[in-house]
Amino acid sequence: MRFKAVATAIFTGLCFLSFMNSSSEPSEGLMVGDKAPEIEGHLLDGTHFSSAQWEGKMVLVDFWASYDAPSRVNNYRKKQLLEQYKNALFLNGEGLDVVSISLDWFKSPLYNSIERDQLEDFAHLCDWKGSDSPLAQAFQVDGPSEVFLLDGSGRIVERGNDLEEIAVTLERLATVDQTRFAAYRR
């Protein structure tokens, strides 16, 4: 009986260790907890953009298009979230930024949508390749209305197309007792 208990404990321990990765850094991927793919490109004004620029901040990476009705409807809610949390202190991030990656093919509708929806506070990227964009492929996005919430270290905290779920996650991360989890902060 005692041998069986020891053998079971050793087997369980070996199974646990086989699933552990020796690196403390998460692997790159698209699931919650994974490190998000790097984002590099040029903003609509021609300025170079890199995901390293928002290290330490919560970031809402938004794939959208000017021709997509749900994307346009969600723009108002994204503006509200940015206004509400732009200076918030999160568990692993300070403040919120929105990186808007457009899957548009044409400039005029995109520029008109940004102006009409008053999205000037977002960082806008577009390479005019639609769903064939390398960024869309890196994030495995087939079409608009996909959102990723990244923490200050670039890990995916939430993903989907429901902004209310994103809002709940932001609220939860903004109300964490910072003193209790100070050791986990960067």
Side-chain angles (χ1 to χ4, degrees), residues 53-60 81-82 84-98 149-154 157 170 173-174 178 182 184-186:
Q53 290 176 237
W54 25 269
E55 187 175 327
K57 295 194 84 142
M58 292 293 282
V59 180
L60 188 67
L81 291 174
L82 178 62
Q84 183 177 357
Y85 294 109
K86 69 181 173 186
N87 296 316
L89 183 61
F90 297 99
L91 179 60
N92 190 15
E94 295 180 19
L96 176 70
D97 280 340
V98 177
L149 181 63
L150 311 180
D151 70 4
S153 59
V157 178
L170 284 168
L173 292 173
Q178 301 297 320
Y184 297 106
R185 300 208 65 229
R186 310 180 94 242

Side-chain angles (χ1 to χ4, degrees), residues 165-178:
E165 287 179 16
I166 301 287
V168 167
T169 301
L170 284 168
E171 178 66 27
R172 186 176 68 242
L173 292 173
T175 57
V176 169
D177 180 5
Q178 301 297 320

Side-chain angles (χ1 to χ4, degrees), residues 36-168:
E38 291 293 319
I39 298 175
E40 285 207 40
H42 288 84
L43 298 175
L44 293 180
D45 66 5
T47 309
H48 183 266
F49 180 85
S50 171
S51 51
Q53 290 176 237
W54 25 269
E55 187 175 327
K57 295 194 84 142
M58 292 293 282
V59 180
L60 188 67
V61 179
D62 173 37
F63 288 89
W64 75 293
S66 64
Y67 57 81
D68 182 59
S71 293
R72 297 290 302 278
V73 170
N74 284 338
N75 282 342
Y76 178 73
R77 183 65 175 133
K78 288 177 260 186
K79 280 179 39 176
Q80 285 180 323
L81 291 174
L82 178 62
E83 188 61 35
Q84 183 177 357
Y85 294 109
K86 69 181 173 186
N87 296 316
L89 183 61
F90 297 99
L91 179 60
N92 190 15
E94 295 180 19
L96 176 70
D97 280 340
V98 177
V99 177
S100 172
I101 302 172
S102 174
L103 301 180
D104 276 273
W105 292 88
F106 304 104
K107 291 181 180 182
S108 182
L110 176 60
Y111 287 117
N112 287 336
S113 296
I114 291 170
E115 185 178 337
R116 281 192 191 121
D117 295 351
Q118 299 174 351
L119 306 178
E120 294 83 12
D121 292 337
F122 297 2
H124 294 280
L125 291 119
C126 186
D127 59 10
W128 316 110
K129 296 179 181 176
S131 297
D132 296 330
S133 164
L135 286 175
Q137 291 174 358
F139 280 84
Q140 297 178 1
V141 172
D142 294 329
S145 294
E146 185 79 27
V147 180
F148 294 82
L149 181 63
L150 311 180
D151 70 4
S153 59
R155 291 183 182 189
I156 299 172
V157 178
E158 186 76 54
R159 67 172 287 185
N161 55 12
D162 185 356
L163 282 176
E164 293 313 309
E165 287 179 16
I166 301 287
V168 167

Side-chain angles (χ1 to χ4, degrees), residues 21 25-30 33-36:
N21 185 347
E25 285 295 312
S27 59
E28 186 175 297
L30 298 172
D34 291 342
K35 188 137 177 96

